Amino acid sequence: MAIKNWIPMDGDTFLTIDGFIMNTFGYEHPKTHVFAFLKYIPAKFKDMFNVEMLERTWHYGKTELFRAEKLYTSKNYQSFIATFHKNFPDYIFYDKNRDKEVISAPLNRISEVFVPRDRLVWLQNLPKKDELQNKALDLINLISKESNVPLSDMGLHGSLALNMHALHSDIDFVVYGTDNFRRVETTIEKLVSTNQLTYIIGNRLDAARKFQGRYQGKIYMYNATRQFNQITTKFDQYKYTPLIQVQFQATIINDQETMYRPATYKISNYKPLNSESELSTDKTPIQVVSNIGCYRNIAKQGNVIKVSGKLEKVENITNNQVFYQVVVGTATSEEENIWPVA
């Protein structure tokens, strides 16, 4: 896709002129940069990054690529920041709204963009498809048909979308929009009940999300991306002031944005779990926001969650309104999390 026509959306993947492959994070971006996570590192830069790498390698064209064993830990994120500072400072952006530095690719260093919706169309039109590509299309077509979610509201992600997969790679697909995601979620549950799909449940979060499974022997996973008309905030609209670490329990009162990244859980019935987390009424958070993907869609409206995160004051610059939220995934602590209460 041409860069000049691109509106960055969470989950879009892009290649930079330095050979880094990155995933777009969120929907609010400055005019000159795109907030992102580093996904694949060219072999020639591997030794610059002080993180544990997976043994497996990938290839994009003639470029050999490596990937960090753990992509989204606070420790690794800070290590990436340090490496970019030293060797690729253009990839560091000071976000004055949050008073912190973040990984962010300059638009003028992005050479190619892979939008999931477009990559599904590319795969549909590919003349010769291998076994995994055919199975990916079969699965997406099946889910589209059974859920009545049009293929135009679905997309292809991961190594398949970049055409750098192996036959044992996962099938990673995207659903655009809240209602579409809920329909797909229900459809997959029905397909599991008729043995056309199976869930892969490795831990409590897998059991809550049910985002991963098997189709004809192949592992699949899926996530949600907002529709364009569901992007309601802009960069520079809010100022965020971090306050204190809190641990608490709360009830979810709205789950319409819990499947996205960042995931937003509207909450009530805030109950502190330690003395440090006791707050005055005017500072009680109205929502929990997770920057960590594994905490997406782990609880529904009416469910109770336990949370460890950073309390933030949020100021709407356009109308001077103030509210408080708790952020999970501030890249300052490994102890931030969300857990559904059984």
Side-chain angles (χ1 to χ4, degrees):
M1 180 178 183
I3 305 300
K4 65 179 181 180
N5 298 322
W6 180 42
I7 300 175
M9 303 270 283
D10 185 69
D12 290 353
T13 301
F14 57 85
L15 172 70
T16 75
I17 61 176
D18 301 293
F20 297 113
I21 294 180
M22 310 178 88
N23 281 348
T24 304
F25 175 81
Y27 304 87
E28 303 170 23
H29 305 276
K31 292 181 179 179
T32 58
H33 288 68
V34 178
F35 294 138
F37 283 108
L38 176 61
K39 187 71 177 288
Y40 297 102
I41 300 166
K44 64 182 178 179
F45 300 140
K46 177 188 175 185
D47 292 341
M48 295 180 181
F49 290 85
N50 187 28
V51 298
E52 293 294 325
M53 298 287 183
L54 293 173
E55 291 185 7
R56 179 186 169 190
T57 62
W58 288 258
H59 288 84
Y60 184 78
K62 296 181 180 179
T63 303
E64 184 180 28
L65 299 165
F66 286 83
R67 203 175 90 183
E69 184 178 9
K70 296 180 180 179
L71 288 174
Y72 308 121
T73 66
S74 174
K75 180 180 178 181
N76 278 6
Y77 190 82
Q78 294 304 323
S79 180
F80 291 155
I81 288 276
T83 299
F84 279 125
H85 248 307
K86 181 178 180 180
N87 302 286
F88 307 95
D90 287 348
Y91 288 83
I92 299 296
F93 181 85
Y94 172 69
D95 183 355
K96 62 182 178 61
N97 300 323
R98 292 176 170 83
D99 190 25
K100 64 189 295 187
E101 292 181 326
V102 294
I103 295 172
S104 184
L107 284 171
N108 62 11
R109 300 197 76 83
I110 296 175
S111 59
E112 197 167 357
V113 176
F114 304 88
V115 176
R117 183 181 264 132
D118 296 342
R119 297 311 288 172
L120 179 56
V121 174
W122 162 81
L123 181 57
Q124 289 169 324
N125 294 326
L126 194 66
K128 294 183 179 180
K129 303 176 183 66
D130 62 31
E131 178 187 345
L132 186 63
Q133 291 170 330
N134 279 315
K135 279 198 175 173
L137 278 181
D138 289 345
L139 173 62
I140 294 170
N141 285 330
L142 171 65
I143 292 171
S144 173
K145 178 181 177 182
E146 296 295 325
S147 64
N148 289 319
V149 173
L151 288 171
S152 58
D153 284 334
M154 301 182 75
L156 188 69
H157 198 228
S159 59
L160 264 171
L162 277 67
N163 200 25
M164 54 185 239
H165 59 284
L167 288 179
H168 57 268
S169 296
D170 300 336
I171 298 170
D172 192 345
F173 68 94
V174 172
V175 183
Y176 288 87
T178 304
D179 292 341
N180 287 337
F181 180 86
R182 292 298 184 210
R183 287 206 296 272
V184 166
E185 186 178 43
T186 300
T187 296
I188 288 178
E189 184 177 359
K190 291 178 180 177
L191 292 171
V192 168
S193 70
T194 57
N195 298 317
Q196 296 180 71
L197 302 177
T198 58
Y199 289 128
I200 296 176
I201 307 295
N203 54 45
R204 284 173 58 195
L205 291 181
D206 289 345
R209 291 183 67 195
K210 297 179 179 176
F211 77 113
Q212 188 176 40
R214 289 186 185 276
Y215 171 69
Q216 296 183 4
K218 298 295 182 182
I219 295 174
Y220 72 84
M221 59 188 68
Y222 72 106
N223 285 296
T225 294
R226 294 180 187 272
Q227 299 276 30
F228 285 116
N229 62 6
Q230 293 175 324
I231 303 173
T232 57
T233 57
K234 297 179 180 179
F235 183 74
D236 276 345
Q237 183 177 350
Y238 294 96
K239 177 176 174 55
Y240 304 87
T241 305
L243 300 174
I244 60 172
Q245 292 293 134
V246 292
Q247 297 179 31
F248 64 96
Q249 180 174 298
T251 302
I252 298 170
I253 59 174
N254 186 306
D255 60 11
Q256 292 300 293
E257 297 181 310
T258 62
M259 68 286 294
Y260 300 118
R261 188 178 60 185
T264 302
Y265 295 82
K266 302 290 185 181
I267 59 170
S268 66
N269 301 324
Y270 176 92
K271 295 180 180 179
L273 296 178
N274 55 34
S275 59
E276 292 83 1
S277 303
E278 294 178 0
L279 304 172
S280 58
T281 302
D282 62 321
K283 290 184 173 60
T284 301
I286 64 169
Q287 62 189 28
V288 176
V289 177
S290 176
N291 294 327
I292 303 175
C294 68
Y295 297 121
R296 285 177 282 188
N297 198 43
I298 62 168
K300 299 292 196 299
Q301 182 173 324
N303 291 160
V304 176
I305 54 175
K306 286 185 177 180
V307 180
S308 176
K310 176 81 76 171
L311 180 69
E312 281 189 344
K313 178 183 178 181
V314 184
E315 301 171 74
N316 189 326
I317 297 170
T318 59
N319 59 20
N320 296 318
Q321 289 185 343
V322 174
F323 65 90
Y324 291 82
Q325 65 183 20
V326 172
V327 179
V328 173
T330 59
T332 60
S333 170
E334 304 291 1
E335 303 303 320
E336 297 176 346
N337 52 62
I338 306 172
W339 292 101
V341 176

